[in-house]
Amino acid sequence: MGVIRKIKRNFADLFKKLFKKQNARIGIYGPPNAGKTTLANRILRDWTGDAMGSVSHIAHETRRARRREGVTIKTNGGSITLDIIDTPGLATKIDFHEFMEQGLDENESKRRAKEATEGVIEAVKWLDNLDGVILVMDATEDPFTQVNVTVIGNMEARSLPLLIVANKVDLPEASPSTIRDAFPQHPMVSISALEGKNIDTLYEEIAKRFG
């Protein structure tokens, strides 16, 4: 009888491992300098006390996807545990001259441009391994860009949940309503990732959208 119980227990443990609910893999996407890593840092600092990576006024500071597993966000309605992937900024063209205009020398500029291009490719590949996307847009910029339209089209084609974040509402020229009017078919939250404005509303929406 002891052997039979042991076999049953082993099968039960195996069954739990096979059918254990995996954390939802959520990618943070958007154009360069929209505030993706600032948002990732905000989420991690609020719920883990850690940070995802460095930020800079120079575009394409994040040139490799970074993943943080098991981030639990607690809301009034419960909690949700996510694997968060902070992706490089998406762009249709990356010119090393733009880095030189920021004061970098030619060799460094060319290296960054190459790495940023590879990062865009990596970010696109990640789309096949995600359960949802947080698309960060700069609320001070025109939302009708090829990057935004392409990401939204890809998510709709995959039937994956999408949450739009209108970031930088702390700036006087921000117009989150323009983003909402541009993409009314998807939920949107207006925030300042830098100052934390409306961040609790974002967490509620994350739990609702990806839970």
Side-chain angles (χ1 to χ4, degrees):
M1 292 296 292
V3 174
I4 294 176
R5 281 197 298 269
K6 185 176 181 180
I7 292 174
K8 287 182 177 179
R9 187 166 59 249
N10 289 340
F11 269 110
D13 292 341
L14 178 60
F15 184 85
K16 289 179 181 178
K17 290 179 181 179
L18 289 174
F19 293 94
K20 179 182 178 182
K21 180 176 173 58
Q22 299 296 309
N23 299 336
R25 295 181 300 274
I26 305 302
I28 300 179
Y29 279 73
N33 280 6
K36 299 178 300 301
T37 301
T38 301
L39 175 57
N41 285 342
R42 168 68 61 177
I43 294 171
L44 290 186
R45 287 190 177 116
D46 282 351
W47 301 108
T48 71
D50 204 353
M52 183 71 82
S54 61
V55 297
S56 170
H57 70 282
I58 300 177
H60 300 287
E61 177 67 15
T62 301
R63 299 184 294 281
R64 288 289 180 273
R66 291 176 289 212
R67 178 175 181 174
R68 188 60 54 89
E69 298 181 347
V71 179
T72 299
I73 295 174
K74 297 180 180 179
T75 66
N76 291 332
S79 65
I80 181 173
T81 301
L82 307 172
D83 292 348
I84 297 176
I85 297 91
D86 179 28
T87 65
L90 297 177
T92 55
K93 180 183 178 182
I94 300 174
D95 188 340
F96 77 90
H97 290 97
E98 296 178 3
F99 294 105
M100 293 185 67
E101 292 173 359
Q102 297 296 324
L104 301 180
D105 64 42
E106 183 172 345
N107 288 336
E108 174 68 8
S109 296
K110 289 181 176 179
R111 182 184 67 81
R112 282 200 172 216
K114 178 177 180 294
E115 291 175 353
T117 301
E118 293 170 347
V120 170
I121 296 172
E122 182 185 14
V124 172
K125 288 181 178 179
W126 259 106
L127 287 172
D128 293 327
N129 297 292
L130 296 176
D131 300 301
V133 163
I134 296 173
L135 178 57
V136 182
M137 299 186 193
D138 185 338
T140 69
E141 301 286 343
D142 180 5
F144 287 105
T145 66
Q146 187 173 352
V147 167
N148 291 337
V149 172
T150 298
V151 171
I152 289 175
N154 269 278
M155 288 298 95
E156 291 175 343
R158 288 172 167 82
S159 298
L160 289 177
L162 173 66
L163 175 59
I164 296 175
V165 171
N167 191 29
K168 305 187 182 182
V169 298
D170 53 295
L171 300 179
E173 64 271 30
S175 179
S177 61
T178 303
I179 296 175
R180 178 177 284 108
D181 292 342
F183 306 105
Q185 71 274 34
H186 295 290
M188 189 201 81
V189 179
S190 304
I191 71 161
S192 168
L194 182 64
E195 296 186 356
K197 183 176 181 180
N198 292 340
I199 200 69
D200 288 337
T201 302
L202 175 61
Y203 293 148
E204 293 283 351
E205 195 63 37
I206 286 175
K208 182 192 304 182
R209 191 68 175 156
F210 304 123

